[in-house]
Amino acid sequence: MEIQKVGVLGAGAMGTGIANLAAMHGFEVVLCDLHEEAVQKSISRMERFMDKSVTRGKMTEEEKAQTLQRIQQTTNMEDFQDVDLVIEAVLEDLDLKKSVFQQLDAIVPESALLTTNTSSMSITEIATATKNPSRVAGLHFFNPAQIMKLVEVIRGLETSDETITSLKQFAERVKKEHVEVKKDVPGFIVNRVMIPHFIESIRLLEEGVASAEDIDKAVKFGLNYPMGPFELQDFAGVDIGYHVMEYFKEEFNDARFAAPLLLKQMIRAGHHGRKAGVGFYDYREEDK
């Protein structure tokens, strides 16, 4: 099927980026969040992002205005009744996602595709909340979605070939490189590789082998990564990495994925990264 209109559910960082990306590439977008304030903040973040693009000569003021005109703002999921594709970007809570997909299944056209931006959770289980699991898949963008080049297209157990083909075509239309995850496993490709990398880095810090700064420096200059493991965890959210580790440990029944004690203590203290002002690094003076 040809996708023309996209519904994005959730106006947080990921939903904002995905909605902005789709609108910039000519799609009509319906951006929905339970809270009107969240929607307005999302639009403001898009404007700031595009202002920088205008300053750098990557888009014009007219293109910015046209992009914003393509975005319908709403707090009512019923406004998804004529979309061709929904991309869910709510909190990483499996029960919440299943509840959302059950509601979406009753609202969107039978031909519409239902996707989740989850970074780790089971597509197959989320799809059980719908009457037609063949139209459900994972569409995992990376933050910030406007810039990061990759999207993982993930099959659930019953996802159809037609669904996967349409999603790959959509990814190409928004100028992303796509990879197909053929089996529904926790963490898919990127997080399956990244989470052990985080765990070992935290263990090195716990054991006093090196400082967070030097571990980040070693990874950036030794492996040529753009960000070190602690910089990346602080940027993405220390709490998100922790929850993924716990999910991996339970799903794989493997203690290798257990969160290190240092990370647990940080979660207890509310040191969730840049968004909290403190994570592996302290941003409070910088933010002032």
Side-chain angles (χ1 to χ4, degrees):
M1 67 169 292
E2 185 175 359
I3 296 168
Q4 299 293 342
K5 192 170 186 177
V6 179
V8 177
L9 182 60
M14 287 309 308
T16 295
I18 294 166
N20 195 187
L21 174 73
M24 285 192 298
H25 286 89
F27 290 92
E28 295 298 317
V29 175
V30 181
L31 175 62
C32 178
D33 195 282
L34 182 63
H35 305 288
E36 175 65 28
E37 182 183 4
V39 177
Q40 293 305 317
K41 285 183 178 179
S42 176
I43 297 297
S44 295
R45 288 197 296 270
M46 292 183 203
E47 290 178 331
R48 289 196 298 272
F49 175 85
M50 289 188 289
D51 283 341
K52 292 178 183 178
S53 297
V54 171
T55 300
R56 294 169 183 163
K58 294 184 177 180
M59 72 185 311
T60 65
E61 284 286 357
E62 183 180 0
E63 288 169 335
K64 173 191 167 184
Q66 290 172 346
T67 296
L68 292 171
Q69 287 172 2
R70 295 188 191 104
I71 302 172
Q72 176 186 344
Q73 305 167 40
T74 184
T75 57
N76 187 354
M77 278 199 291
E78 292 289 338
D79 289 327
F80 287 158
Q81 59 188 336
D82 61 346
V83 301
D84 304 308
L85 166 67
V86 175
I87 304 172
E88 167 270 310
V90 302
L91 295 174
E92 286 286 81
D93 180 304
L94 190 58
D95 289 336
L96 173 61
K97 289 181 185 294
K98 290 171 71 175
S99 173
V100 160
F101 270 71
Q102 185 177 30
Q103 295 174 65
L104 289 170
D105 195 48
I107 294 170
V108 304
E110 291 182 4
S111 60
L113 305 181
L114 298 175
T115 68
T116 173
N117 187 60
T118 183
S119 64
S120 300
M121 294 181 174
S122 172
I123 308 303
T124 302
E125 185 166 355
I126 293 170
T128 62
T130 71
K131 295 176 181 177
N132 180 12
S134 70
R135 67 169 172 168
V136 179
L139 199 61
H140 179 212
F141 290 85
F142 294 79
N143 188 26
Q146 303 100 315
I147 295 173
M148 296 295 282
K149 296 178 180 178
L150 182 69
V151 59
E152 291 178 311
V153 181
I154 307 127
R155 286 182 180 270
L157 188 63
E158 297 183 62
T159 306
S160 70
D161 291 341
E162 291 76 16
T163 295
I164 295 297
T165 297
S166 293
L167 294 177
K168 287 179 177 179
Q169 291 171 347
F170 173 73
E172 290 167 1
R173 289 176 63 189
V174 294
K175 307 301 182 185
K176 297 298 179 187
E177 294 290 337
H178 58 74
V179 291
E180 180 182 345
V181 182
K182 298 177 182 296
K183 292 184 178 180
D184 183 15
V185 296
F188 317 130
I189 297 172
V190 174
N191 270 5
R192 181 76 176 272
V193 172
M194 185 173 69
I195 291 300
H197 158 70
F198 284 170
I199 291 171
E200 283 305 311
S201 299
I202 297 168
R203 286 174 179 162
L204 284 170
L205 182 61
E206 275 187 329
E207 293 165 12
V209 174
S211 66
E213 292 87 349
D214 278 352
I215 295 169
D216 275 347
K217 186 176 180 180
V219 169
K220 285 191 288 186
F221 293 103
L223 298 176
N224 204 28
Y225 286 12
M227 298 178 75
F230 300 114
E231 290 175 309
L232 182 53
Q233 288 178 86
D234 277 0
F235 176 76
V238 173
D239 52 326
I240 294 174
Y242 169 75
H243 290 307
V244 174
M245 291 174 200
E246 292 294 291
Y247 182 71
F248 276 21
K249 183 182 72 172
E250 181 178 343
E251 287 291 300
F252 288 117
N253 192 27
D254 191 336
R256 289 181 302 167
F257 294 109
L261 180 58
L262 173 60
L263 187 61
K264 291 181 179 180
Q265 298 287 39
M266 290 175 63
I267 296 301
R268 291 166 183 156
H271 295 183
H272 292 175
R274 184 175 284 276
K275 63 188 176 185
V278 60
F280 289 100
Y281 296 101
D282 193 328
Y283 304 94
R284 287 170 290 196
E285 287 301 318
E286 175 186 316
D287 290 343
K288 288 179 183 178

